[in-house]
Amino acid sequence: MLELRNITKKFDGKLILDEINLKIGNGEIVSMLGPSGSGKTTLLNIILGITPMDSGCIIFNDVDISKVSMKDRGFNIVFQDYALFPNLNAYKNIVYGLKNKPDLVTPKELEELIDFLELKPHLYKKIHELSGGQKQRVALARTLATKPKILLLDEPLSALDGVIKETIKGKIKAITKQYKLTTIIVTHDPEEALTMADKVLIIDKGKISQYGSPKEVVHQPKNKFVEEFILRQLKIKRDNIYNLFGENYV
Ligand SMILES: Nc1ncnc2c1ncn2[C@@H]1O[C@H](COP(=O)(O)OP(=O)(O)OP(=O)(O)O)[C@@H](O)[C@H]1O
Ligand SMILES: [Mg+2]
């Protein structure tokens, strides 16, 4: 279990995260939704260990990891802009994190991962020769190859649309369920948040507006912000959500 206790963060004296309290069970997928600038990326970076928090603590499987380095936490992230190395080909990007750590993923597991993400035909292409969806899959493979204890995804689907978006969404869901990988996925698409995750975390101006199952968020929005942000963006009446998501989600 990952537990965040009273996490607070200021940038230049401005409160960015305000007393964030949260528990995520092992193997759960949590989607994080919120307006631009609400603190989503900052929260992921704090969990990852690259941004220090001002106060609060992070407990992972009963151990306080607040002061543990990013490397020793063993979590990993797919960044909002993929952050691939342009001078390396796709394959070298994927195995980059494995340098001097060949124990992280076996050659067989790596091959399976590359197959599953349908990257075999693209391995020796340079990054600028890849499409958005291919870059996204390379970034995902690079992160998964390090066998993270927690997978953090910052808007991994935002640059994609149509069929490729659906395919990658399906793959992320399949991988996280197969490996029972605790996952936090930031999205600005309410439909994506409601259909991909076990729990939805809605954040507004650095505070948690609501944290609950997709069903709870849809049926019992805790406040006006949740109601407007989720339901208005879905552009459908609450009664119709049943038809959209089916029994599993409402
Ligand atoms: N390194 C930094 N220095 C100063 N301010 C920062 C820094 N990083 C983020 N901020 C500020 O913190 C706030 C939250 O930023 P953050 O990137 O976490 O938002 P976000 O919810 O991820 O937004 P988006 O949906 O646009 O990605 C913003 O006001 C941003 O300007
Ligand atoms: Mg962000």
Side-chain angles (χ1 to χ4, degrees):
M1 157 125 41
L2 177 74
E3 199 180 338
L4 309 183
R5 289 189 195 153
N6 297 319
I7 291 192
T8 298
K9 175 72 186 172
K10 283 183 181 167
F11 276 125
D12 308 323
K14 193 175 162 243
L15 197 57
I16 303 296
L17 292 173
D18 187 5
E19 304 263 326
I20 300 287
N21 284 287
L22 188 68
K23 284 181 187 170
I24 302 176
N26 288 338
E28 269 185 340
I29 304 182
V30 172
S31 57
M32 189 177 358
L33 263 176
S36 181
S38 55
K40 304 179 297 295
T41 297
T42 306
L43 186 59
L44 289 191
N45 288 341
I46 286 174
I47 296 170
L48 181 68
I50 50 171
T51 298
M53 53 199 169
D54 294 337
S55 57
C57 57
I58 304 177
I59 314 289
F60 182 56
N61 292 340
D62 300 322
V63 178
D64 187 341
I65 57 160
S66 311
K67 294 195 167 67
V68 173
S69 70
M70 171 174 84
K71 194 171 133 278
D72 292 334
R73 287 184 195 187
F75 306 161
N76 209 344
I77 190 164
V78 175
F79 288 106
Q80 209 159 356
D81 60 359
Y82 312 145
L84 294 169
F85 304 112
N87 52 330
L88 302 179
N89 67 25
Y91 181 75
K92 286 190 173 155
N93 265 278
I94 293 170
V95 297
Y96 187 83
L98 309 178
K99 266 188 193 164
N100 313 320
K101 285 190 210 152
D103 52 317
L104 286 178
V105 75
T106 65
K108 187 166 169 281
E109 284 171 331
L110 187 63
E111 203 179 324
E112 275 170 13
L113 187 61
I114 288 167
D115 271 349
F116 183 72
L117 291 170
E118 295 171 39
L119 283 169
K120 226 174 193 166
H122 310 297
L123 286 180
Y124 301 104
K125 288 184 184 168
K126 297 211 179 86
I127 298 307
H128 74 266
E129 295 167 332
L130 300 172
S131 71
Q134 289 159 357
K135 281 184 206 160
Q136 205 286 329
R137 280 177 283 150
V138 170
L140 192 59
R142 180 178 67 178
T143 297
L144 287 168
T146 65
K147 290 199 164 175
K149 290 183 198 148
I150 292 187
L151 175 65
L152 305 167
L153 301 164
D154 199 351
E155 302 223 31
L157 304 166
S158 60
L160 312 173
D161 54 20
V163 177
I164 188 72
K165 186 168 179 163
E166 289 309 310
T167 311
I168 294 182
K169 204 153 96 177
K171 286 193 184 294
I172 291 175
K173 213 169 162 175
I175 288 177
T176 50
K177 285 292 166 203
Q178 185 185 335
Y179 294 119
K180 296 194 176 60
L181 201 52
T182 309
T183 302
I184 308 177
I185 177 165
V186 172
T187 170
H188 59 245
D189 179 346
E191 186 180 329
E192 204 171 282
L194 292 167
T195 54
M196 280 193 80
D198 302 309
K199 284 202 185 136
V200 182
L201 171 68
I202 298 164
I203 182 165
D204 180 31
K205 300 192 192 86
K207 280 189 184 238
I208 295 179
S209 258
Q210 187 162 3
Y211 181 47
S213 66
K215 193 171 164 178
E216 277 165 357
V217 168
V218 168
H219 278 313
Q220 295 143 19
K222 246 184 160 173
N223 49 49
K224 266 250 144 340
F225 175 78
V226 173
E227 186 150 348
E228 290 186 2
F229 192 73
I230 298 275
L231 301 184
R232 200 167 283 178
Q233 279 202 62
L234 283 168
K235 291 194 183 69
I236 48 170
K237 286 203 183 95
R238 215 192 294 182
D239 296 349
N240 291 342
I241 290 177
Y242 181 88
N243 301 332
L244 183 66
F245 297 116
E247 277 177 90
N248 291 342
Y249 293 100
V250 287

